[in-house]
Amino acid sequence: MAVKTFFCVDAHTCGNPVRLVAGGGPNLSGANMSEKRQHFLNEYDWIRQGLMYEPRGHDMMSGSILYPPHDPENDVAVLFIETSGCLPMCGHGTIGTITIAIEEGLIIPKTPGVVKMEAPAGLVHIEYAAENNKVSHVKLRNVASYLAASDLTVECPDLGTLTFDVAYGGNFYAIIDPQENYRGIDQYAADQLISWSRVIRKRINELYSFVHPENPTIKDCTHILWAGDTMDPSSTARNAVFYGDKAIDRSPCGTGTSARMAQWHAKGKLNKGDSFIHESIIGSKFIGRVEDVVDLKGITAIIPSIQGWAKVYGYNTIKIDDDDPYAKGFQVL
């Protein structure tokens, strides 16, 4: 009978959870975090399930595991885990992970105020501000983000035919803007959005194919971004991002904000240097910005930055015992 113990630090980024596994993470093989992500998925996904699913986690649970960087010029490598899987990149997870890591002394950046983080999706440059051992904000310069497809359609229960775009911001997002059959997120309950999202995500992936031009392991539409009117008139846009099987992101979603900015840039609504204040379903905000415009294998892409905050709220020593019939967790749909 085996018992595996994990030491975790829990936080939230603008309302959405981040559970950093500071001790107990598995040794992974690979020349970079993309390869290590595949190793984790093939052999250690039970760790993700055990720590993210009930009874140790919950439907919205999200987390990360720290690793040494592969390039000595960088500061840290990060594997992202959540109920939906092992993500190539996670924006709210980055903000929470870096906040925890700096405040708890888990990483010592080579340059104070700057972190070079290796993610499965690529290298992410991060700036942070800290005073009296408290991180006030984290700003990440995300991976190249782009509009992958426009004006696609899918049949949604209750609503009928919906038109949507798909954009990449570290994950692939189906972006549903207000239209004839969908009036905006403020017009529907969260459980309606979740129920519809499960169905249309499956249908979207049956109808269409999305693959990153440089990394074929990053594929498929994994998130649904429902757009709508802002709560604060000073904000640019508002969204509710569906992930996993039952989750609506409580934060504005970092990779989702990146995808939305890429969509707006491609449609001429956002230019290099422009800011983009994105609200979540609960009204928390990320500050986005189009930092640069680049070529990605013949695709016009942007380099977005995302700024937000996180708060550490607890410590967990969690055991996963083979003797427990729910060692790998469960979900109730």
Side-chain angles (χ1 to χ4, degrees), residues 194-238:
I194 290 169
S195 177
W196 294 332
S197 294
R198 280 201 299 269
V199 175
I200 66 171
R201 182 177 60 187
K202 182 176 184 294
R203 290 177 177 175
I204 287 170
N205 285 314
E206 289 172 346
L207 291 168
Y208 309 102
S209 177
F210 310 101
V211 182
H212 192 277
E214 292 184 333
N215 188 340
T217 68
I218 302 176
K219 59 183 180 179
D220 300 331
C221 173
T222 53
H223 297 64
I224 307 294
L225 190 158
W226 301 87
D229 293 337
T230 62
M231 300 170 69
D232 183 341
S234 67
S235 298
T236 311
R238 184 174 176 228

CSV table of all heavy atoms in Angstrom, one decimal, residues 194-238:
chain,number,residue,atom,x,y,z
A,194,ILE,N,-22.7,26.8,-18.5
A,194,ILE,CA,-21.9,25.5,-18.4
A,194,ILE,C,-22.6,24.4,-19.1
A,194,ILE,O,-21.9,23.6,-19.8
A,194,ILE,CB,-21.8,25.2,-16.8
A,194,ILE,CG1,-20.9,26.2,-16.1
A,194,ILE,CG2,-21.3,23.8,-16.6
A,194,ILE,CD1,-21.0,26.2,-14.6
A,195,SER,N,-23.9,24.2,-19.0
A,195,SER,CA,-24.6,23.1,-19.7
A,195,SER,C,-24.4,23.2,-21.2
A,195,SER,O,-24.1,22.3,-21.9
A,195,SER,CB,-26.0,23.2,-19.3
A,195,SER,OG,-26.8,22.2,-20.0
A,196,TRP,N,-24.6,24.4,-21.7
A,196,TRP,CA,-24.5,24.6,-23.2
A,196,TRP,C,-23.0,24.4,-23.6
A,196,TRP,O,-22.8,23.9,-24.7
A,196,TRP,CB,-24.9,26.0,-23.6
A,196,TRP,CG,-26.4,26.3,-23.3
A,196,TRP,CD1,-27.4,25.4,-23.4
A,196,TRP,CD2,-27.0,27.6,-23.0
A,196,TRP,NE1,-28.6,26.0,-23.2
A,196,TRP,CE2,-28.4,27.3,-22.9
A,196,TRP,CE3,-26.5,28.8,-22.9
A,196,TRP,CZ2,-29.3,28.3,-22.6
A,196,TRP,CZ3,-27.4,29.9,-22.6
A,196,TRP,CH2,-28.8,29.6,-22.5
A,197,SER,N,-22.1,24.9,-22.8
A,197,SER,CA,-20.6,24.8,-23.2
A,197,SER,C,-20.2,23.3,-23.4
A,197,SER,O,-19.4,23.0,-24.3
A,197,SER,CB,-19.8,25.5,-22.1
A,197,SER,OG,-20.0,26.8,-22.1
A,198,ARG,N,-20.6,22.5,-22.5
A,198,ARG,CA,-20.2,21.1,-22.6
A,198,ARG,C,-20.7,20.5,-24.0
A,198,ARG,O,-19.9,19.8,-24.6
A,198,ARG,CB,-20.8,20.2,-21.5
A,198,ARG,CG,-20.1,20.3,-20.2
A,198,ARG,CD,-20.4,19.1,-19.3
A,198,ARG,NE,-21.8,19.0,-18.9
A,198,ARG,CZ,-22.3,19.6,-17.8
A,198,ARG,NH1,-21.5,20.3,-17.0
A,198,ARG,NH2,-23.6,19.5,-17.6
A,199,VAL,N,-21.9,20.8,-24.4
A,199,VAL,CA,-22.4,20.3,-25.6
A,199,VAL,C,-21.7,20.9,-26.8
A,199,VAL,O,-21.2,20.2,-27.7
A,199,VAL,CB,-23.9,20.5,-25.7
A,199,VAL,CG1,-24.4,20.1,-27.1
A,199,VAL,CG2,-24.6,19.8,-24.6
A,200,ILE,N,-21.6,22.2,-26.9
A,200,ILE,CA,-21.0,22.9,-28.1
A,200,ILE,C,-19.5,22.6,-28.2
A,200,ILE,O,-19.0,22.6,-29.3
A,200,ILE,CB,-21.4,24.4,-28.2
A,200,ILE,CG1,-20.7,25.2,-27.1
A,200,ILE,CG2,-22.9,24.5,-28.2
A,200,ILE,CD1,-20.9,26.7,-27.3
A,201,ARG,N,-18.8,22.5,-27.1
A,201,ARG,CA,-17.4,22.2,-27.2
A,201,ARG,C,-17.2,20.9,-27.9
A,201,ARG,O,-16.3,20.7,-28.8
A,201,ARG,CB,-16.7,22.2,-25.9
A,201,ARG,CG,-15.2,21.9,-25.9
A,201,ARG,CD,-14.5,22.0,-24.6
A,201,ARG,NE,-15.1,21.0,-23.7
A,201,ARG,CZ,-14.8,21.0,-22.4
A,201,ARG,NH1,-13.9,21.9,-21.8
A,201,ARG,NH2,-15.3,20.1,-21.6
A,202,LYS,N,-18.0,19.9,-27.5
A,202,LYS,CA,-17.9,18.6,-28.2
A,202,LYS,C,-18.2,18.7,-29.7
A,202,LYS,O,-17.5,18.1,-30.5
A,202,LYS,CB,-18.8,17.6,-27.5
A,202,LYS,CG,-18.8,16.2,-28.0
A,202,LYS,CD,-19.7,15.3,-27.2
A,202,LYS,CE,-19.6,13.8,-27.7
A,202,LYS,NZ,-20.2,13.6,-29.0
A,203,ARG,N,-19.3,19.4,-30.0
A,203,ARG,CA,-19.7,19.6,-31.4
A,203,ARG,C,-18.7,20.3,-32.2
A,203,ARG,O,-18.4,20.0,-33.3
A,203,ARG,CB,-21.1,20.3,-31.4
A,203,ARG,CG,-22.2,19.4,-30.9
A,203,ARG,CD,-23.5,20.1,-30.9
A,203,ARG,NE,-24.6,19.2,-30.5
A,203,ARG,CZ,-25.9,19.6,-30.3
A,203,ARG,NH1,-26.2,20.9,-30.5
A,203,ARG,NH2,-26.8,18.8,-29.9
A,204,ILE,N,-18.1,21.4,-31.6
A,204,ILE,CA,-17.0,22.2,-32.3
A,204,ILE,C,-15.9,21.3,-32.7
A,204,ILE,O,-15.4,21.3,-33.8
A,204,ILE,CB,-16.6,23.3,-31.4
A,204,ILE,CG1,-17.7,24.4,-31.3
A,204,ILE,CG2,-15.3,23.9,-31.9
A,204,ILE,CD1,-17.4,25.5,-30.3
A,205,ASN,N,-15.4,20.4,-31.7
A,205,ASN,CA,-14.3,19.6,-32.0
A,205,ASN,C,-14.6,18.4,-33.0
A,205,ASN,O,-13.7,17.9,-33.6
A,205,ASN,CB,-13.7,19.0,-30.7
A,205,ASN,CG,-12.9,20.1,-30.0
A,205,ASN,OD1,-12.1,20.8,-30.6
A,205,ASN,ND2,-13.1,20.2,-28.7
A,206,GLU,N,-15.9,18.1,-33.1
A,206,GLU,CA,-16.3,17.1,-34.1
A,206,GLU,C,-16.3,17.8,-35.5
A,206,GLU,O,-16.1,17.1,-36.5
A,206,GLU,CB,-17.7,16.6,-33.8
A,206,GLU,CG,-17.7,15.6,-32.5
A,206,GLU,CD,-19.1,15.3,-32.1
A,206,GLU,OE1,-20.0,15.9,-32.5
A,206,GLU,OE2,-19.2,14.3,-31.3
A,207,LEU,N,-16.6,19.0,-35.5
A,207,LEU,CA,-16.8,19.7,-36.8
A,207,LEU,C,-15.5,20.3,-37.4
A,207,LEU,O,-15.3,20.4,-38.6
A,207,LEU,CB,-17.9,20.8,-36.7
A,207,LEU,CG,-19.3,20.4,-36.5
A,207,LEU,CD1,-20.1,21.6,-36.1
A,207,LEU,CD2,-19.9,19.8,-37.7
A,208,TYR,N,-14.7,20.8,-36.5
A,208,TYR,CA,-13.5,21.6,-36.9
A,208,TYR,C,-12.2,21.1,-36.2
A,208,TYR,O,-12.3,20.4,-35.2
A,208,TYR,CB,-13.7,23.1,-36.5
A,208,TYR,CG,-15.0,23.6,-37.0
A,208,TYR,CD1,-16.1,23.8,-36.1
A,208,TYR,CD2,-15.2,24.0,-38.3
A,208,TYR,CE1,-17.3,24.4,-36.5
A,208,TYR,CE2,-16.4,24.6,-38.7
A,208,TYR,CZ,-17.4,24.7,-37.8
A,208,TYR,OH,-18.6,25.3,-38.2
A,209,SER,N,-11.1,21.4,-36.8
A,209,SER,CA,-9.8,21.0,-36.2
A,209,SER,C,-8.9,22.3,-36.0
A,209,SER,O,-8.9,23.1,-36.9
A,209,SER,CB,-9.1,20.1,-37.2
A,209,SER,OG,-7.8,19.7,-36.7
A,210,PHE,N,-8.3,22.3,-34.9
A,210,PHE,CA,-7.4,23.4,-34.5
A,210,PHE,C,-6.1,22.8,-34.0
A,210,PHE,O,-6.1,22.1,-33.0
A,210,PHE,CB,-8.0,24.3,-33.5
A,210,PHE,CG,-9.4,24.7,-33.8
A,210,PHE,CD1,-10.5,24.1,-33.2
A,210,PHE,CD2,-9.7,25.7,-34.8
A,210,PHE,CE1,-11.8,24.5,-33.6
A,210,PHE,CE2,-11.0,26.1,-35.1
A,210,PHE,CZ,-12.0,25.5,-34.5
A,211,VAL,N,-5.0,23.2,-34.6
A,211,VAL,CA,-3.6,22.7,-34.2
A,211,VAL,C,-2.7,23.9,-34.2
A,211,VAL,O,-2.6,24.6,-35.2
A,211,VAL,CB,-3.2,21.6,-35.1
A,211,VAL,CG1,-1.8,21.0,-34.7
A,211,VAL,CG2,-4.2,20.4,-35.2
A,212,HIS,N,-1.9,24.0,-33.2
A,212,HIS,CA,-0.9,25.1,-33.2
A,212,HIS,C,0.2,24.8,-34.3
A,212,HIS,O,0.6,23.7,-34.5
A,212,HIS,CB,-0.2,25.1,-31.8
A,212,HIS,CG,0.7,26.3,-31.6
A,212,HIS,ND1,2.0,26.4,-32.1
A,212,HIS,CD2,0.4,27.5,-31.0
A,212,HIS,CE1,2.5,27.6,-31.7
A,212,HIS,NE2,1.5,28.2,-31.0
A,213,PRO,N,0.6,25.9,-35.0
A,213,PRO,CA,1.5,25.7,-36.2
A,213,PRO,C,2.9,25.3,-35.8
A,213,PRO,O,3.6,24.8,-36.7
A,213,PRO,CB,1.5,27.1,-36.8
A,213,PRO,CG,1.1,28.1,-35.7
A,213,PRO,CD,0.1,27.3,-34.9
A,214,GLU,N,3.3,25.4,-34.5
A,214,GLU,CA,4.6,25.0,-34.1
A,214,GLU,C,4.7,23.9,-33.2
A,214,GLU,O,5.7,23.3,-33.0
A,214,GLU,CB,5.4,26.2,-33.5
A,214,GLU,CG,5.7,27.4,-34.4
A,214,GLU,CD,6.5,28.5,-33.8
A,214,GLU,OE1,6.4,28.6,-32.5
A,214,GLU,OE2,7.2,29.2,-34.5
A,215,ASN,N,3.5,23.5,-32.6
A,215,ASN,CA,3.5,22.4,-31.6
A,215,ASN,C,2.3,21.6,-31.8
A,215,ASN,O,1.2,22.0,-31.3
A,215,ASN,CB,3.6,23.0,-30.2
A,215,ASN,CG,3.8,22.0,-29.1
A,215,ASN,OD1,3.5,20.8,-29.3
A,215,ASN,ND2,4.3,22.4,-27.9
A,216,PRO,N,2.3,20.5,-32.4
A,216,PRO,CA,1.1,19.7,-32.7
A,216,PRO,C,0.5,19.1,-31.5
A,216,PRO,O,-0.6,18.6,-31.5
A,216,PRO,CB,1.7,18.6,-33.7
A,216,PRO,CG,3.1,18.5,-33.4
A,216,PRO,CD,3.6,19.9,-33.1
A,217,THR,N,1.2,19.1,-30.3
A,217,THR,CA,0.6,18.6,-29.1
A,217,THR,C,-0.4,19.6,-28.5
A,217,THR,O,-1.2,19.2,-27.6
A,217,THR,CB,1.6,18.2,-28.0
A,217,THR,OG1,2.2,19.5,-27.6
A,217,THR,CG2,2.7,17.3,-28.6
A,218,ILE,N,-0.4,20.8,-29.0
A,218,ILE,CA,-1.4,21.8,-28.6
A,218,ILE,C,-2.5,21.9,-29.6
A,218,ILE,O,-2.3,22.4,-30.8
A,218,ILE,CB,-0.7,23.2,-28.4
A,218,ILE,CG1,0.4,23.2,-27.4
A,218,ILE,CG2,-1.8,24.2,-28.0
A,218,ILE,CD1,1.2,24.5,-27.3
A,219,LYS,N,-3.6,21.3,-29.3
A,219,LYS,CA,-4.7,21.2,-30.3
A,219,LYS,C,-6.1,21.2,-29.6
A,219,LYS,O,-6.2,21.0,-28.4
A,219,LYS,CB,-4.5,19.9,-31.1
A,219,LYS,CG,-4.5,18.6,-30.2
A,219,LYS,CD,-4.2,17.4,-31.1
A,219,LYS,CE,-4.2,16.1,-30.2
A,219,LYS,NZ,-3.9,14.9,-30.9
A,220,ASP,N,-7.1,21.3,-30.5
A,220,ASP,CA,-8.5,21.2,-30.1
A,220,ASP,C,-8.9,22.4,-29.3
A,220,ASP,O,-8.2,23.1,-28.6
A,220,ASP,CB,-8.8,20.0,-29.2
A,220,ASP,CG,-8.4,18.7,-30.0
A,220,ASP,OD1,-8.5,18.7,-31.2
A,220,ASP,OD2,-8.1,17.7,-29.3
A,221,CYS,N,-10.2,22.7,-29.5
A,221,CYS,CA,-10.9,23.8,-28.7
A,221,CYS,C,-11.1,23.3,-27.3
A,221,CYS,O,-11.9,22.3,-27.1
A,221,CYS,CB,-12.2,24.2,-29.4
A,221,CYS,SG,-13.1,25.4,-28.4
A,222,THR,N,-10.5,23.8,-26.3
A,222,THR,CA,-10.6,23.4,-24.9
A,222,THR,C,-11.5,24.3,-24.0
A,222,THR,O,-11.9,23.9,-23.0
A,222,THR,CB,-9.2,23.2,-24.3
A,222,THR,OG1,-8.5,24.4,-24.4
A,222,THR,CG2,-8.4,22.1,-24.9
A,223,HIS,N,-11.7,25.5,-24.5
A,223,HIS,CA,-12.4,26.5,-23.7
A,223,HIS,C,-13.4,27.2,-24.5
A,223,HIS,O,-13.3,27.4,-25.7
A,223,HIS,CB,-11.4,27.6,-23.1
A,223,HIS,CG,-10.3,27.1,-22.2
A,223,HIS,ND1,-9.4,26.2,-22.6
A,223,HIS,CD2,-10.1,27.3,-20.9
A,223,HIS,CE1,-8.6,25.9,-21.6
A,223,HIS,NE2,-9.0,26.6,-20.5
A,224,ILE,N,-14.5,27.6,-23.8
A,224,ILE,CA,-15.6,28.4,-24.5
A,224,ILE,C,-15.6,29.8,-23.8
A,224,ILE,O,-15.7,29.8,-22.5
A,224,ILE,CB,-16.9,27.8,-24.4
A,224,ILE,CG1,-16.9,26.3,-24.9
A,224,ILE,CG2,-18.0,28.6,-25.1
A,224,ILE,CD1,-16.6,26.2,-26.4
A,225,LEU,N,-15.5,30.9,-24.5
A,225,LEU,CA,-15.5,32.2,-24.0
A,225,LEU,C,-16.8,32.9,-24.4
A,225,LEU,O,-17.0,33.2,-25.6
A,225,LEU,CB,-14.3,33.0,-24.5
A,225,LEU,CG,-14.0,34.4,-23.8
A,225,LEU,CD1,-12.5,34.8,-24.0
A,225,LEU,CD2,-14.9,35.5,-24.3
A,226,TRP,N,-17.7,33.1,-23.4
A,226,TRP,CA,-19.0,33.8,-23.6
A,226,TRP,C,-18.8,35.3,-23.3
A,226,TRP,O,-18.3,35.6,-22.2
A,226,TRP,CB,-20.0,33.2,-22.7
A,226,TRP,CG,-20.3,31.8,-22.9
A,226,TRP,CD1,-19.7,30.7,-22.3
A,226,TRP,CD2,-21.3,31.2,-23.8
A,226,TRP,NE1,-20.2,29.5,-22.7
A,226,TRP,CE2,-21.2,29.7,-23.6
A,226,TRP,CE3,-22.3,31.7,-24.6
A,226,TRP,CZ2,-22.0,28.9,-24.3
A,226,TRP,CZ3,-23.1,30.8,-25.3
A,226,TRP,CH2,-23.0,29.4,-25.1
A,227,ALA,N,-19.0,36.1,-24.2
A,227,ALA,CA,-18.8,37.6,-24.1
A,227,ALA,C,-20.1,38.3,-23.7
A,227,ALA,O,-21.2,37.7,-23.8
A,227,ALA,CB,-18.2,38.2,-25.3
A,228,GLY,N,-19.9,39.5,-23.2
A,228,GLY,CA,-21.1,40.3,-22.9
A,228,GLY,C,-20.7,41.7,-22.4
A,228,GLY,O,-19.5,42.1,-22.4
A,229,ASP,N,-21.7,42.5,-22.0
A,229,ASP,CA,-21.5,43.9,-21.6
A,229,ASP,C,-20.7,43.9,-20.2
A,229,ASP,O,-20.8,43.0,-19.4
A,229,ASP,CB,-22.8,44.6,-21.4
A,229,ASP,CG,-23.5,44.8,-22.7
A,229,ASP,OD1,-22.9,44.8,-23.8
A,229,ASP,OD2,-24.8,44.9,-22.7
A,230,THR,N,-19.9,45.0,-20.1
A,230,THR,CA,-19.1,45.2,-18.8
A,230,THR,C,-20.0,45.6,-17.7
A,230,THR,O,-21.1,46.2,-17.9
A,230,THR,CB,-18.0,46.2,-19.1
A,230,THR,OG1,-18.6,47.5,-19.4
A,230,THR,CG2,-17.1,45.8,-20.2
A,231,MET,N,-19.5,45.3,-16.5
A,231,MET,CA,-20.2,45.8,-15.3
A,231,MET,C,-19.7,47.2,-15.0
A,231,MET,O,-20.4,48.1,-14.5
A,231,MET,CB,-19.8,44.9,-14.1
A,231,MET,CG,-20.3,43.5,-14.3
A,231,MET,SD,-19.7,42.3,-13.1
A,231,MET,CE,-20.6,42.8,-11.6
A,232,ASP,N,-18.4,47.5,-15.2
A,232,ASP,CA,-17.8,48.8,-15.0
A,232,ASP,C,-17.6,49.5,-16.4
A,232,ASP,O,-17.0,48.9,-17.3
A,232,ASP,CB,-16.4,48.6,-14.3
A,232,ASP,CG,-15.7,49.9,-14.0
A,232,ASP,OD1,-16.1,51.0,-14.5
A,232,ASP,OD2,-14.8,49.9,-13.2
A,233,PRO,N,-18.2,50.7,-16.5
A,233,PRO,CA,-18.1,51.4,-17.8
A,233,PRO,C,-16.6,51.6,-18.3
A,233,PRO,O,-16.4,51.8,-19.5
A,233,PRO,CB,-18.8,52.7,-17.6
A,233,PRO,CG,-19.7,52.4,-16.4
A,233,PRO,CD,-19.0,51.4,-15.6
A,234,SER,N,-15.7,51.6,-17.3
A,234,SER,CA,-14.3,51.9,-17.7
A,234,SER,C,-13.6,50.6,-18.2
A,234,SER,O,-12.5,50.7,-18.7
A,234,SER,CB,-13.5,52.4,-16.5
A,234,SER,OG,-13.4,51.4,-15.5
A,235,SER,N,-14.2,49.5,-18.1
A,235,SER,CA,-13.6,48.2,-18.7
A,235,SER,C,-13.9,48.1,-20.2
A,235,SER,O,-14.8,48.8,-20.7
A,235,SER,CB,-14.3,47.0,-18.0
A,235,SER,OG,-14.0,47.0,-16.6
A,236,THR,N,-13.1,47.3,-20.8
A,236,THR,CA,-13.2,47.2,-22.3
A,236,THR,C,-14.2,46.1,-22.7
A,236,THR,O,-15.0,46.3,-23.6
A,236,THR,CB,-11.8,46.8,-22.9
A,236,THR,OG1,-10.8,47.7,-22.4
A,236,THR,CG2,-11.8,46.9,-24.4
A,237,ALA,N,-14.1,45.0,-22.0
A,237,ALA,CA,-15.0,43.8,-22.3
A,237,ALA,C,-15.1,43.0,-21.1
A,237,ALA,O,-14.4,43.1,-20.1
A,237,ALA,CB,-14.4,43.1,-23.5
A,238,ARG,N,-16.1,42.0,-21.2
A,238,ARG,CA,-16.4,41.1,-20.1
A,238,ARG,C,-16.6,39.7,-20.6
A,238,ARG,O,-17.1,39.6,-21.8
A,238,ARG,CB,-17.6,41.6,-19.3
A,238,ARG,CG,-17.9,40.7,-18.1
A,238,ARG,CD,-19.1,41.3,-17.3
A,238,ARG,NE,-19.4,40.5,-16.1
A,238,ARG,CZ,-20.7,40.1,-15.8
A,238,ARG,NH1,-21.7,40.6,-16.6
A,238,ARG,NH2,-21.0,39.4,-14.8
